[in-house]
Amino acid sequence: MVIFGAGGDLTKRLVVPSLYNLACAHLLPDEFAIVGFDLQDIAEQKWQQTLCEMTREFVRTADPSQSFNQDVWNSLSSRMHYVQGDLNNPASYEALKTKLAECDTKYGTAGNYVFYLAVADRFFGPVIERLGDSKLACEENGYWRRVVVEKPFGHDLASAKALNRRILKVIGENQIYRIDHFLGKETVQNIMMFRFANGLFEPLWNRDRIDHVQVTVAESLGVERRGGFYEHTGALRDMVPNHMFQLVGVIGMEAPNSFNADAVRSEKAKVIEAVRICEMEQSGYAAVRGQYGSGEVGGRPVEGYREEPDVSPDSAVETYAAMKLTVENLRWSGVPFYIRTGKRMTKRQTLIAIKFKGVPAALLRHTRLRQPAPNWLLLRIQPDEGIAFEFGAKIPGPTVQMGNVRMDFHYRDYFGTAPATGYETLIYDVMAGDATLFQRADNIESGWEVVEPVLEAWGAQKPGNFPNYPAGTAGPECADELLAKDGRAWRPID
Ligand code: BG6
């Protein structure tokens, strides 16, 4: 595996710790080796040492009960090599080629390479072109060559299309693995199993029985050290066409004919193609935005977005976005999907909440019961991964009264937790050549296509009232109004 951006944050925090976890689980092939590529002139040993410290740290933070396995690390790091090079310089790719040939001889590798682009998005096109020019991306003599590309994949529809065209001139769609790390999350993968491997819910999974769906991706963190990046991105671009639409995709898709990569991706693509952002009669699109001001998160005072490093003091960039979507197909027609995401919210919670339709009121007309509370199915993606179902039950006693109860499944009770960054599955799948959990060119483009009108509308009109939610809250009032107009409310972030 060649890691471009070998000295970067992503490599240190996610890619190498995931490789270490895979090594601990004996899921790396015996011939596996890593070649790090970066501009920094650093001794190989020093580079390995920095990665060792980060991985050690990561392992402790992810699961304090897990100890660091020095033997596994030593064996992995003995196969880690470093090439100092410039992403834009063809000569550096020749140096890389020489190093790879050495590795092939030393480890008996078969010439199968994964090129992991852990670099800023402006380098995606140039690096792939250089790989093409140097013939490193060329699959011949039975070798495979795969390229992993991180997000952001484009900045809007036009740039995503241009990037796809540029990349696909050099390599085939089958060689490219566009990462959306949400798809690496166990709980997201489980939604498909939950839906299609259990007979109970699928017959209810449609406009006849579902009232609406809420998708929440709330973060308690702010923009941290990524102010510079975020000023050009904002919550809508950062989260909606990719992560949030992937969640809408797995909830909304039809059963694929098989779990083969193209079958699954085609079904998901169909759903995203059918998604529209609703239009309101007078106020344009049913989409609202917010930006956090100072406040308190977890009992600690925090600054507002405009005070964060590398952020303009009068920034109009949104750190919160919410919208009402419809999925215009037979299954979902008339069922709103409300989605929201924001930074510096009450707490970290990624949740898909599905509200089922209630019983007809007529049934209860001769009782003293008010309309019982609705049934909710709650798919908790993170943290506290699990699934809950809320329903009404009679409170014991001579008078007829109903209470709301909850059946609750926690992953940790049944399966324990595996140390994971979410990248282990994805990296493993790249090596195995399974693209099911990766985005195809059409998936990416249809995500951008859906949000394009709102991107344009928001770009044309600056919000006048930012900041409009204090850090540590559930978001701006306009997001509550979005649902209140339909007689609905967001579930509390609890
Ligand atoms: C990233 C976004 O893709 O996903 C970040 O760029 C966001 O802004 C992150 O914080 C959320 O991922 P997770 O796995 O922490 O929920």
Side-chain angles (χ1 to χ4, degrees):
M1 174 180 286
V2 177
I3 307 176
F4 291 103
D9 235 33
L10 184 73
T11 303
K12 291 182 194 155
R13 287 173 188 279
L14 289 165
V15 182
V16 171
S18 314
L19 289 168
Y20 162 83
N21 282 336
L22 286 171
C24 288
H26 307 288
L27 289 172
L28 290 181
D30 291 341
E31 304 83 5
F32 185 78
I34 300 172
V35 177
F37 182 108
D38 211 304
L39 192 56
Q40 200 191 1
D41 194 3
I42 183 176
E44 192 165 274
Q45 232 182 343
K46 179 91 185 69
W47 171 66
Q48 291 170 353
Q49 205 181 329
T50 318
L51 290 173
C52 177
E53 281 155 22
M54 286 300 289
T55 305
R56 195 184 273 277
E57 161 101 32
F58 171 80
V59 165
R60 221 184 6 245
T61 335
D63 177 0
S65 66
Q66 206 200 347
S67 56
F68 184 70
N69 189 330
Q70 192 66 45
D71 291 342
V72 170
W73 177 264
N74 291 347
S75 135
L76 186 66
S77 70
S78 69
R79 290 160 172 271
M80 285 168 60
H81 303 279
Y82 189 78
V83 172
Q84 190 272 330
D86 177 346
L87 296 173
N88 285 315
N89 183 356
S92 299
Y93 291 77
E94 288 310 312
L96 175 63
K97 221 172 173 176
T98 310
K99 180 62 81 183
L100 285 169
E102 275 169 36
C103 286
D104 283 340
T105 315
K106 188 165 174 194
Y107 303 113
T109 42
N112 296 329
Y113 306 147
V114 174
F115 297 102
Y116 199 116
L117 271 55
V119 293
D121 57 328
R122 65 178 186 283
F123 292 115
F124 295 166
V127 171
I128 293 175
E129 281 167 357
R130 297 279 116 74
L131 287 174
D133 295 343
S134 60
K135 302 272 178 294
L136 275 166
C138 190
E139 294 192 317
E140 52 189 10
N141 306 326
Y143 302 146
W144 50 254
R145 304 283 156 97
R146 298 177 186 146
V147 180
V148 181
V149 179
E150 278 287 336
K151 75 180 258 283
F153 199 96
H155 197 66
D156 52 20
L157 180 59
S159 56
K161 277 188 169 171
L163 183 57
N164 271 329
R165 267 198 307 273
R166 191 168 174 186
I167 294 177
L168 292 169
K169 267 189 201 151
V170 183
I171 54 178
E173 180 64 45
N174 64 321
Q175 289 177 273
I176 175 151
Y177 291 72
R178 299 176 193 80
I179 282 203
D180 183 314
H181 79 280
F182 264 48
L183 292 177
K185 295 183 192 287
E186 281 291 339
T187 35
V188 175
Q189 292 171 49
N190 183 47
I191 296 173
M192 266 206 292
M193 295 303 136
F194 177 76
R195 287 189 54 196
F196 302 130
N198 292 294
L200 179 61
F201 287 104
E202 205 44 32
L204 312 177
W205 213 261
N206 57 50
R207 66 188 151 89
D208 294 332
R209 297 306 329 140
I210 291 180
D211 175 72
H212 76 277
V213 179
Q214 295 185 12
V215 181
T216 299
V217 181
E219 296 185 82
S220 55
L221 291 178
V223 287
E224 309 301 299
R225 289 170 299 145
R226 298 164 73 221
F229 160 79
Y230 211 76
E231 280 285 273
H232 299 279
T233 312
L236 175 56
R237 286 190 168 88
D238 191 32
M239 300 295 288
V240 176
N242 34 64
H243 303 326
M244 302 213 63
F245 282 2
Q246 287 304 321
L247 299 180
V248 170
V250 283
I251 291 296
M253 69 193 278
E254 297 300 315
N257 289 344
S258 74
F259 285 107
N260 140 317
D262 265 326
V264 172
R265 297 194 297 178
S266 298
E267 289 307 333
K268 253 197 266 161
K270 280 192 219 157
V271 184
I272 311 295
E273 273 163 29
V275 170
R276 301 281 176 277
I277 300 173
C278 292
E279 285 183 75
M280 319 278 268
E281 255 167 39
Q282 274 152 7
S283 47
Y285 286 97
V288 298
R289 54 186 153 161
Q291 187 193 75
Y292 62 86
S294 57
E296 214 175 85
V297 176
R300 192 172 57 89
V302 295
E303 297 195 309
Y305 174 68
R306 289 176 175 181
E307 285 84 59
E308 303 274 14
D310 303 321
V311 171
S312 153
D314 58 356
S315 172
V317 168
E318 81 286 353
T319 59
Y320 177 101
M323 54 196 68
K324 177 182 174 185
L325 310 174
T326 51
V327 181
E328 298 189 349
N329 63 20
L330 199 61
R331 184 186 283 264
W332 293 113
S333 175
V335 181
F337 281 60
Y338 301 97
I339 66 171
R340 62 176 163 169
T341 182
K343 300 226 178 258
R344 283 275 187 247
M345 293 177 66
T346 331
K347 59 181 271 201
R348 178 170 187 241
Q349 186 179 69
T350 301
L351 173 78
I352 299 170
I354 299 170
K355 184 182 173 190
F356 288 88
K357 291 185 174 165
V359 291
L363 203 67
L364 303 166
R365 66 183 180 279
H366 298 306
T367 72
R368 275 181 287 149
L369 288 177
R370 280 174 289 124
Q371 185 70 12
N375 298 136
W376 283 93
L377 179 68
L378 307 173
L379 305 169
R380 288 192 303 269
I381 308 296
Q382 62 186 17
D384 186 22
E385 292 80 356
I387 298 175
F389 185 60
E390 292 182 351
F391 58 100
K394 181 180 170 294
I395 301 174
T399 56
V400 180
Q401 288 183 65
M402 294 285 285
N404 296 329
V405 298
R406 175 192 263 235
M407 291 200 284
D408 213 343
F409 151 68
H410 297 263
Y411 277 76
R412 62 170 181 271
D413 294 345
Y414 283 78
F415 306 120
T417 46
T421 63
Y423 274 66
E424 288 82 359
T425 311
L426 298 173
I427 292 178
Y428 181 84
D429 285 357
V430 174
M431 293 189 288
D434 181 349
T436 314
L437 299 178
F438 294 84
Q439 301 221 70
R440 228 169 37 190
D442 56 338
N443 294 151
I444 297 259
E445 289 175 16
S446 36
W448 282 117
E449 201 160 351
V450 175
V451 298
E452 193 77 353
V454 171
L455 280 178
E456 273 172 24
W458 287 3
Q461 200 180 5
K462 300 279 166 254
N465 60 347
F466 275 7
N468 61 354
Y469 69 101
T473 64
E477 267 174 29
C478 49
D480 295 334
E481 287 155 17
L482 185 73
L483 271 71
K485 283 184 192 136
D486 295 344
R488 299 186 173 107
W490 294 106
R491 283 191 62 96
I493 299 174
D494 52 12

